[in-house]
Amino acid sequence: MFLLFVLFLILFKSINSGHEVLFGVKLADFDIKPNELLVIQFDTRPLMRYNRNNNIASLNYWNISAYWNSEFCRIHGHQYYYLTFNSRSNSSGSCTYAHFDLATAWCKVKAMLWADNHMQSLGSNIRAVIYLDSDAIITTNYSLTVVIAYMRKALDWDITKRPLAFNQDGPGWACKFTREIAGFDFCLNSGTVLWFRSSIASLILQQWWHSAGGSYQTSSFTSKWRT
């Protein structure tokens, strides 16, 4: 029994580790409120219908991720939208730029750009969007607006000047390639992207998408990154 108690404490601490910095964080008047945040995910595969009579183990990871995150958003008052080829963001069932056929990873950029362009119709009160890859789940016990408010304060982050944020990628071959061969100072992970409604963020997303039509000859990357 004592061993079970110790294991429970270890598990509890692991689950809640890092969350203590969020305790007591108060939203300022200019911080986004829970219903002003939209969370989107994209996958080329549509969601399976699920009800409580089904075995959740039969669902694939992108379904579990979507259902988990949509429930998190419901609990915390955020808006949630799942995008796929069958949704309005991409009805063609493929991802192309001009005459180029693109790898499916580019489709999420198209989905982000679609969400940015349709932010008003998705919710007139939306002030910020978080994109998550389809293998990501939200694990914090706090509203994401609390997380964002903490980041803004801890980093002295002026979101009017820098309205878009990526994860900085960890060690790995892709990051090593980006820094040592391509010559960039940082390597970013596009699996999580946060942006606020602004012309600057819209321009960055547009330029990101238009880079799909760039030239291999002038690129710092040697691989055929388009496909």
Side-chain angles (χ1 to χ4, degrees):
M1 181 62 70
F2 176 75
L3 179 59
L4 289 175
F5 178 71
V6 172
L7 289 174
F8 170 78
L9 288 179
I10 294 173
L11 178 61
F12 179 81
K13 185 171 182 59
S14 297
I15 292 174
N16 290 277
S17 60
H19 293 187
E20 62 273 9
V21 299
L22 300 176
F23 180 76
V25 173
K26 303 295 184 183
L27 299 183
D29 290 339
F30 50 81
D31 283 320
I32 58 171
K33 306 306 182 284
N35 67 327
E36 296 173 335
L37 178 65
L38 170 67
V39 176
I40 66 169
Q41 291 187 271
F42 172 84
D43 198 284
T44 59
R45 298 153 293 197
L47 288 177
M48 294 171 56
R49 290 190 177 274
Y50 170 74
N51 59 61
R52 297 184 184 275
N53 295 322
N54 291 342
N55 180 6
I56 195 169
S58 66
L59 297 178
N60 292 306
Y61 70 84
W62 63 92
N63 289 276
I64 294 174
S65 172
Y67 284 122
W68 176 288
N69 293 331
S70 63
E71 181 64 10
F72 174 92
C73 291
R74 184 192 66 80
I75 292 171
H76 290 281
H78 309 319
Q79 303 185 54
Y80 178 87
Y81 207 88
Y82 180 88
L83 300 172
T84 185
F85 279 150
N86 293 331
S87 65
R88 291 173 291 173
S89 64
N90 192 332
S91 59
S92 65
S94 62
C95 198
T96 59
Y97 181 90
H99 60 280
F100 297 115
D101 290 326
L102 303 177
T104 53
W106 280 100
C107 298
K108 68 180 182 182
V109 186
K110 188 175 184 180
M112 287 183 233
L113 188 58
W114 181 89
D116 187 67
N117 290 336
H118 293 80
M119 202 179 294
Q120 185 73 22
S121 61
L122 291 174
S124 59
N125 62 324
I126 294 175
R127 293 175 54 202
V129 181
I130 291 180
Y131 167 83
L132 297 174
D133 269 353
S134 61
D135 60 352
I137 60 171
I138 306 167
T139 59
T140 181
N141 296 325
Y142 292 85
S143 164
L144 291 176
T145 53
V146 171
V147 179
I148 295 170
Y150 172 80
M151 292 166 54
R152 177 193 57 75
K153 185 176 181 180
L155 300 173
D156 194 21
W157 181 12
D158 186 350
I159 61 174
T160 61
K161 296 180 179 178
R162 298 179 178 179
L164 188 146
F166 290 88
N167 276 337
Q168 184 173 336
D169 213 351
W173 72 267
C175 187
K176 183 177 180 180
F177 179 89
T178 300
R179 300 186 68 176
E180 296 184 5
I181 299 179
F184 291 96
D185 294 330
F186 300 99
C187 43
L188 305 178
N189 188 321
S190 60
T192 306
V193 184
L194 162 66
W195 73 93
F196 296 85
R197 180 183 287 192
S198 77
S199 58
I200 298 174
S202 296
L203 180 61
I204 293 172
L205 291 173
Q206 291 167 13
Q207 290 178 336
W208 186 10
W209 173 243
H210 292 319
S211 69
S215 170
Y216 285 145
Q217 284 68 40
T218 58
S219 174
S220 299
F221 294 93
T222 56
S223 61
K224 293 186 180 300
W225 38 260
R226 204 174 353 256
T227 57

